[in-house]
Amino acid sequence: RRALDLNLPAAWRWWRHKFGRKIGLEPAGSNIRLHQHQQRERRRRKRTRRTPATSAEEQRMRRKIEDTDQTPDLLHGQEADPFDPTLKTKGHVSTTPTVIEVDWYLNKHLGITAADLGNETMSLQGRIIKFYTTCDGPAIAERPTILFLSLVHGNEVMGLLALLQTARLIMLDKPAEYENQAPCLIFMPFVNIDAYTLNVESLKSGGPACRRTNLRETFDCDDGFSRDNPASCEPRAVGGVDLNRNHPFDWYKPPGFYLNEWENMADCYQECGSTYHGKEPWSEPESRAVRNVVLRYNVTAAISFHSRHNMLQRPLLIHPYTSLRSFRSMPLEDRQRFRDWSRKMNRDGYYVTGTAYEAIEYTAGGSTIDWMYSLGIAAFVIETVPPCGDRQSTDMDRWCVDIDDEKIWKEMLRHGEAGEELAKLASASSSSISMPSFAPTTTQPTGDWSAWDPSDCYGWDCDTQDRSASIVYVILALIVTIGLPCILCILLKSLQSEQRAHYTSPPEQNDLELEEEDNQQEEQIELGNIT
């Protein structure tokens, strides 16, 4: 019977379990053993599920690193930091690093512990979404934690490079007592790991790399590109869900809102749109992975690194809200905190700061940072600008494949400094009395608009009111700056006229005096001629 349990196919074991008792083959209690075996088989298949294009290569590279403790060829033998942009050598890592290279750098080189939550941090195609933490142990859930995310969109590689620079600066500059006093750090570099892997493979083979959403292909968006080449740039949307629109906060349409009023919001409700927000909040495993990490640890501050071109050609530092909610609806303490931290992270004026609408007149419901803020987390978005000039024709410009790597790393160094500054601000805040409005909530946000007042402003209406107030201030400033000089000019002219009136005699007296002076001068001239 034991031999049959080990050697017969699963179908025969199931048949014997189902009908074996009637014919005497199935002993009592063996259904428990069969159930346990089936559970183990399911877990094993789920862990080893990979796409055919990448499973062999990834397993080979992982076996090479874990078994022989060697680094990939690109990093092997380098004593200096391969991600240091100040080095003049040619030992830099490519600006499109693979998952294995990033894992080696964060785990082996910087010494940040790699972790995952098993099935709770697994992508749609079965890849484990790793995160790297500076703390471990049972008390980690109680310590304040700062979270850094990148590649929420699979084609925004500059955000990944900015995260790596942040990790490098923080880990190299930390003091000796950092481990016991400072907050924990969690780096989650590959949120949309499936799309990034697809883009990198397509880029290496000479193809496009424009996949932004995750790889869910359940929608009928096929027009010749979707199934054959999901990383193509034309069309940009080939199905999939935008992971930065899949969180519950403001995921639902606000009351009184019509889709034709706001183009980028209307696209969220189209299944084939490039910013489709999914069938329901947290419908995608990648967004649930971010949720599980945030809820597992005591996250108090966060930065999500993105990358995009914009008309200003300047990087953006965005704080909540990214949705249509008015910034004035936020508690005053929180508004002051966001503005103050933004100024400190932007001391040199490098970023355009504010809400999403204040920065670039753009809104997005269901975003990651808005949901984090509903939990009391001071969350920011840094939108890097690829240093490829002002080309905005295709999404391929996000990768900067024809730009010197050293220039790209130096551009990303400034974003790493902003991330390091946030870590310092969060450390100082956690050591002092925190503001009540930033305290994490114990209940999950509903993400609805139940407290929404239809008469209240949102989006462009709020912006119009804010602009009207600013116009009043501008008019007052013009009155002060232009009116005061005019008043001073009038006063000076009146004083000059008074002085002239004081020193000027009546006209008749002046004429007599002039005649006498003329007569005296003529007499003197005559006397002079005689002499």
Side-chain angles (χ1 to χ4, degrees), residues 193-305:
I193 187 172
D194 293 342
Y196 180 73
T197 303
L198 174 69
N199 286 329
V200 171
E201 291 177 353
S202 178
L203 198 66
K204 289 182 178 179
S205 62
C210 302
R211 184 69 185 207
R212 184 175 187 268
T213 57
N214 71 344
L215 298 190
R216 184 174 292 281
E217 296 288 355
T218 59
F219 313 124
D220 187 15
C221 304
D222 189 6
D223 54 0
F225 297 90
S226 303
R227 310 302 176 190
D228 298 335
N229 191 359
S232 62
C233 297
E234 293 294 340
R236 292 182 58 192
V238 288
V241 175
D242 188 337
L243 302 179
N244 201 34
R245 310 288 192 278
N246 195 235
H247 294 275
F249 192 82
D250 288 352
W251 185 89
Y252 298 95
K253 184 180 69 174
F257 175 80
Y258 299 98
L259 297 184
N260 57 357
E261 291 182 357
W262 205 243
E263 182 179 355
N264 61 57
M265 283 294 293
D267 198 33
C268 296
Y269 299 92
Q270 306 297 326
E271 290 189 351
C272 297
S274 60
T275 59
Y276 177 57
H277 66 176
K279 292 185 177 181
E280 60 183 2
W282 287 328
S283 62
E284 305 310 305
E286 294 88 354
S287 59
R288 292 197 299 270
V290 176
R291 176 200 66 184
N292 296 333
V293 171
V294 170
L295 297 181
R296 177 68 63 90
Y297 300 95
N298 182 23
V299 178
T300 58
I303 287 184
S304 181
F305 291 98

Side-chain angles (χ1 to χ4, degrees), residues 2 6 44 47 163 171 174 204 211 222 224 244 288 306-307 313 319 339 345 375 427 444 473 477 490-491 528:
R2 293 193 183 94
L6 294 175
R44 184 185 63 80
R47 286 195 304 267
L163 180 141
M171 299 305 294
K174 66 178 182 179
K204 289 182 178 179
R211 184 69 185 207
D222 189 6
N244 201 34
R288 292 197 299 270
H306 291 254
S307 175
Q313 286 302 311
H319 58 71
R339 297 299 198 196
M345 295 167 65
L375 299 178
S427 301
Q444 288 298 313
Y473 294 142
I490 294 172
L491 291 176

Side-chain angles (χ1 to χ4, degrees), residues 50 53-76 93 97-105 107-108 130 197 200-201 204:
R50 294 290 188 273
T54 59
S55 59
E57 180 183 358
E58 287 187 358
Q59 291 177 3
R60 179 179 59 82
M61 294 298 295
R62 188 177 292 108
R63 194 180 304 112
K64 180 179 179 181
I65 293 176
E66 293 177 355
D67 296 344
T68 63
D69 197 21
Q70 293 180 359
T71 61
D73 295 338
L74 191 61
L75 305 175
H76 184 69
V93 176
T98 63
V99 177
I100 301 300
E101 292 171 354
V102 173
D103 180 76
W104 172 87
Y105 182 71
N107 189 11
K108 302 292 184 180
K130 286 186 179 181
T197 303
V200 171
E201 291 177 353
K204 289 182 178 179

Side-chain angles (χ1 to χ4, degrees), residues 208-432:
C210 302
R211 184 69 185 207
R212 184 175 187 268
T213 57
N214 71 344
L215 298 190
R216 184 174 292 281
E217 296 288 355
T218 59
F219 313 124
D220 187 15
C221 304
D222 189 6
D223 54 0
F225 297 90
S226 303
R227 310 302 176 190
D228 298 335
N229 191 359
S232 62
C233 297
E234 293 294 340
R236 292 182 58 192
V238 288
V241 175
D242 188 337
L243 302 179
N244 201 34
R245 310 288 192 278
N246 195 235
H247 294 275
F249 192 82
D250 288 352
W251 185 89
Y252 298 95
K253 184 180 69 174
F257 175 80
Y258 299 98
L259 297 184
N260 57 357
E261 291 182 357
W262 205 243
E263 182 179 355
N264 61 57
M265 283 294 293
D267 198 33
C268 296
Y269 299 92
Q270 306 297 326
E271 290 189 351
C272 297
S274 60
T275 59
Y276 177 57
H277 66 176
K279 292 185 177 181
E280 60 183 2
W282 287 328
S283 62
E284 305 310 305
E286 294 88 354
S287 59
R288 292 197 299 270
V290 176
R291 176 200 66 184
N292 296 333
V293 171
V294 170
L295 297 181
R296 177 68 63 90
Y297 300 95
N298 182 23
V299 178
T300 58
I303 287 184
S304 181
F305 291 98
H306 291 254
S307 175
R308 62 172 291 166
H309 286 290
N310 57 72
M311 297 181 64
L312 302 175
Q313 286 302 311
R314 289 181 59 191
L316 311 176
L317 178 60
I318 297 174
H319 58 71
Y321 293 108
T322 64
S323 67
L324 291 171
R325 288 182 184 264
S326 168
F327 184 61
R328 294 182 293 119
S329 65
M330 187 183 294
L332 178 61
E333 295 177 346
D334 294 357
R335 281 184 283 167
Q336 293 175 346
R337 171 74 65 88
F338 277 123
R339 297 299 198 196
D340 181 53
W341 284 19
S342 297
R343 284 193 297 268
K344 292 179 179 178
M345 295 167 65
N346 189 33
R347 298 181 189 275
D348 56 353
Y350 183 70
Y351 295 99
V352 178
T353 62
T355 63
Y357 192 81
E358 290 173 344
I360 52 174
E361 297 187 359
Y362 188 86
T363 57
S367 67
T368 308
I369 66 168
D370 280 3
W371 170 71
M372 287 184 183
Y373 169 67
S374 68
L375 299 178
I377 300 172
F380 294 83
V381 163
I382 287 183
E383 288 274 7
T384 67
V385 176
C388 309
D390 56 353
R391 301 175 302 165
Q392 302 184 43
S393 57
T394 66
D395 281 351
M396 285 298 292
D397 297 333
R398 296 175 186 265
W399 298 85
C400 297
V401 292
D402 55 349
I403 302 297
D404 184 24
D405 289 354
E406 185 176 349
K407 178 181 178 181
I408 295 176
W409 283 118
K410 288 184 178 180
E411 288 283 340
M412 297 303 109
L413 179 62
R414 177 61 183 83
H415 304 301
E417 294 172 352
E420 185 183 20
E421 182 65 25
L422 176 68
K424 294 178 181 178
L425 293 171
S427 301
S429 177
S430 63
S431 61
S432 61

